[in-house]
Amino acid sequence: MFWPLVLPFQITIGLLSAIVLLSPMIASVMNWKRRKTFLIFTLLSLLAFIPSCALIATITDHFRFGLFEYENYAEVKDPGVHLYLPPGATKISLNKYASGYEAKYKITESDFHAYLDGLWEEYGQLSVIKRKDRSGEGLPVQEEDFERFHSLDWQPLANASLFHSPVQGNGGGARYYYDSKAGMVYQQTAYW
């Protein structure tokens, strides 16, 4: 849940620690008292921590979240995405955000079903909802089911059926809208 804050926190701690640790050198160059300079820099770092962390989060989020394009699975370097993205996916569009992502990609029917069956074989016993208990599994979906994708200008798939991944205890999992005729998947993924 708090994973998006880890990187900005680490960068902020590193930068502010470096400034505080360099304060005695700065004091020597400026001909200030070292102890007093160290204390002032320490207090200023404590006061600047939250604003600095927020600024660094804003900057890093620009590079971590948003819409990204990839030719294939190997180009995607995000381990959170790899958990629910089939290795056979190509022409991948990802809309990443802190608690998950939406994806659009091409994949063959055999690759898609082999991947999904493999997920259920490996993680199905850990799923809080069993595969047989999923309502609508493999059934056609309606156009209104694609409303989440309208902001991305992804047109509804004409012949899509709904599939699900195993569901983690914290609610993480994926919903797949697969159009076997087009060989296209729209995917909604949530993780904490």
Side-chain angles (χ1 to χ4, degrees), residues 67 95 102-104 142-158 177 186-188:
L67 194 58
N95 181 39
E102 284 108 13
K104 174 176 82 168
Q142 305 302 315
E143 188 170 328
E144 56 267 10
D145 293 322
F146 293 98
E147 286 179 15
R148 180 176 189 110
F149 304 109
H150 287 313
S151 63
L152 299 168
D153 288 330
W154 297 354
Q155 300 304 312
L157 297 171
Y177 301 91
Y186 287 5
Q187 176 181 332
Q188 292 174 300

Side-chain angles (χ1 to χ4, degrees), residues 43-179:
L43 288 173
L44 288 175
S45 292
L46 291 173
L47 291 172
F49 179 76
I50 291 177
S52 300
C53 198
L55 177 64
I56 290 169
T58 301
I59 293 167
T60 58
D61 288 355
H62 176 73
F63 297 100
R64 298 189 298 169
F65 305 127
L67 194 58
F68 300 90
E69 302 285 331
Y70 304 97
E71 272 304 306
N72 57 49
Y73 177 87
E75 289 182 11
V76 180
K77 302 299 183 200
D78 187 336
V81 172
H82 281 180
L83 184 57
Y84 294 109
L85 186 70
T90 60
K91 307 285 187 220
I92 304 165
S93 294
L94 284 177
N95 181 39
K96 298 188 327 182
Y97 43 90
S99 62
Y101 63 90
E102 284 108 13
K104 174 176 82 168
Y105 51 88
K106 303 277 288 175
I107 190 168
T108 65
E109 187 170 8
S110 59
D111 282 349
F112 174 73
H113 287 293
Y115 171 75
L116 196 57
D117 291 342
L119 268 182
W120 279 101
E121 283 176 30
E122 189 169 349
Y123 302 107
Q125 73 279 5
L126 302 173
S127 181
V128 294
I129 301 173
K130 301 302 175 202
R131 195 173 195 182
K132 63 181 174 49
D133 297 334
R134 295 302 310 217
S135 62
E137 187 77 8
L139 296 177
V141 294
Q142 305 302 315
E143 188 170 328
E144 56 267 10
D145 293 322
F146 293 98
E147 286 179 15
R148 180 176 189 110
F149 304 109
H150 287 313
S151 63
L152 299 168
D153 288 330
W154 297 354
Q155 300 304 312
L157 297 171
N159 302 297
S161 297
L162 178 63
F163 298 93
H164 297 90
S165 73
V167 179
Q168 298 172 2
N170 64 5
R175 182 179 300 169
Y176 304 90
Y177 301 91
Y178 182 57
D179 185 336

